[in-house]
Amino acid sequence: WLGANLLLKGLDPLTTLPLGARLVFASGAGLICEGENMPCKDPGEVIESEIYPSAAAKKFVPAAKKLRGIVCSVEREGAIRKNDVVTIIRPQS
């Protein structure tokens, strides 16, 4: 419902990673951060219609701000497997 392709844990706060940060996985697969995944009302509408019929759509955007994660592009192909360790490389200032 939220459109997530990967779910990562232990990388708080993931949403605040800067543009250009790289996520590198054990296989050599690499993702590059394109910025925050901004919350929109569409997932809230689905949640509201499926499980939470109490104005979830209106509440979703402010509740999800800075919690939706990031949008990435594939920088290097490779396998990403459950429980892989990910290394974050931040861009140099």
Side-chain angles (χ1 to χ4, degrees):
W1 294 344
L2 298 178
N5 298 108
L6 292 174
L7 180 61
L8 305 174
K9 66 179 180 179
L11 300 174
D12 294 329
L14 184 65
T15 301
T16 63
L17 281 180
L19 184 67
R22 288 169 165 74
L23 286 73
V24 181
F25 296 83
S27 70
L31 304 176
I32 187 163
C33 177
E34 301 288 343
E36 179 182 357
N37 186 8
M38 299 300 288
C40 64
K41 65 182 179 85
D42 295 340
E45 289 173 350
V46 174
I47 293 167
E48 182 176 274
S49 71
E50 295 292 326
I51 61 168
Y52 190 71
S54 180
K58 291 180 183 175
K59 297 175 183 176
F60 182 79
V61 173
K65 191 159 180 70
K66 299 288 184 200
L67 297 173
R68 287 291 318 275
I70 56 176
V71 175
C72 290
S73 295
V74 175
E75 181 177 43
R76 187 173 305 129
E77 293 181 17
I80 298 174
R81 294 184 175 83
K82 185 176 180 178
N83 297 320
D84 271 357
V85 173
V86 60
T87 301
I88 297 175
I89 302 170
R90 295 178 180 270
Q92 294 183 0
S93 313

